[in-house]
């Protein structure tokens, strides 16, 4: 599997954060409901903030962080997950320090010590940028670091 395919597949899971609105959330990803939980919830204006063991679940996708903020009922939003960010899909696990999804440009950016795993395959870097509309993905090393990875080729049966 190529590095681009791995990154694209993993970043697809980040679409979980692409909530169009709280009231219309069930229309995202094939009409599946979105379940959320946290130790504390703040509702300010039209924005929902999840604080302490924050979690969003839709289908088989799970986003966890210390805080998830910016779920906005007015349409365009900027959803931020901070502190111990984990995105888990059936195929990948992505870990970082901070994640931002901006609905106006369909871009998800995961930063910090980003670790993406799929089975035994691992890619590490400082910044993962993914466009949910075009499916373009890019991992960067940042500050003198390099993107690194370990891939285990799949064996083909006869």
């Amino acid at each position: 599997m190529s590095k681009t395919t791995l990154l694209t597949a993993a970043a697809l899971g980040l679409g979980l954060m692409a909530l169009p609105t709280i009231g219309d959330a069930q229309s995202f990803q094939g009409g599946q409901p979105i379940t959320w939980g946290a130790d504390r919830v703040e509702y300010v204006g039209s924005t929902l903030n999840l604080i302490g063991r924050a979690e969003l679940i839709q289908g088989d996708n799970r986003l966890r962080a210390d805080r998830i903020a910016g779920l906005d009922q007015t349409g365009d939003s900027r959803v931020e997950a901070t502190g111990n960010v984990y995105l888990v899909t059936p195929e990948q696990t992505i870990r970082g320090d901070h994640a931002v999804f901006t609905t106006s440009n369909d871009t998800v950016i995961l930063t910090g010590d980003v670790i993406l795993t799929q089975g035994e395959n691992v890619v590490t870097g400082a910044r993962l940028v993914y466009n949910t509309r075009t499916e373009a993905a890019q991992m960067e090393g940042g500050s003198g670091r390099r993107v690194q990875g370990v891939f285990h080729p799949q064996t083909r049966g006869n």
Side-chain angles (χ1 to χ4, degrees):
M1 179 174 292
S2 74
K3 182 176 176 181
T4 302
T5 302
L6 177 64
L7 289 176
T8 300
L12 279 173
L14 288 173
L16 171 64
M17 295 183 293
L19 304 176
T21 67
I22 294 171
D24 192 32
Q26 290 190 4
S27 69
F28 180 74
Q29 232 180 34
Q32 295 182 25
I34 297 167
T35 305
W36 56 266
D39 292 335
R40 191 173 88 225
V41 176
E42 293 177 349
Y43 188 71
V44 180
S46 62
T47 302
L48 183 69
N49 298 314
L50 308 174
I51 303 161
R53 297 184 300 168
E55 181 175 61
L56 295 175
I57 301 171
Q58 185 175 40
D60 293 329
N61 299 325
R62 178 183 308 258
L63 174 67
R64 287 182 163 175
D66 294 338
R67 178 182 176 100
I68 299 172
L71 301 173
D72 193 338
Q73 293 189 62
T74 62
D76 282 341
S77 62
R78 183 175 187 267
V79 177
E80 291 191 50
T82 55
N84 299 303
V85 177
Y86 285 88
L87 177 69
V88 180
T89 73
E91 299 294 322
Q92 299 89 20
T93 299
I94 305 168
R95 188 248 175 252
D97 298 325
H98 187 251
V100 175
F101 180 80
T102 307
T103 60
S104 63
N105 65 6
D106 302 316
T107 301
V108 178
I109 300 173
L110 193 74
T111 58
D113 290 323
V114 180
I115 303 169
L116 180 143
T117 60
Q118 179 176 355
E120 294 182 77
N121 300 323
V122 179
V123 178
T124 63
R127 186 172 189 253
L128 173 67
V129 179
Y130 178 72
N131 185 291
T132 61
R133 185 177 30 81
T134 65
E135 298 183 356
Q138 179 181 357
M139 178 76 89
E140 300 172 9
S143 298
R145 291 180 42 197
R146 295 173 35 163
V147 175
Q148 296 182 323
V150 176
F151 294 102
H152 297 267
Q154 295 180 355
T155 57
R156 295 182 188 204
N158 291 339

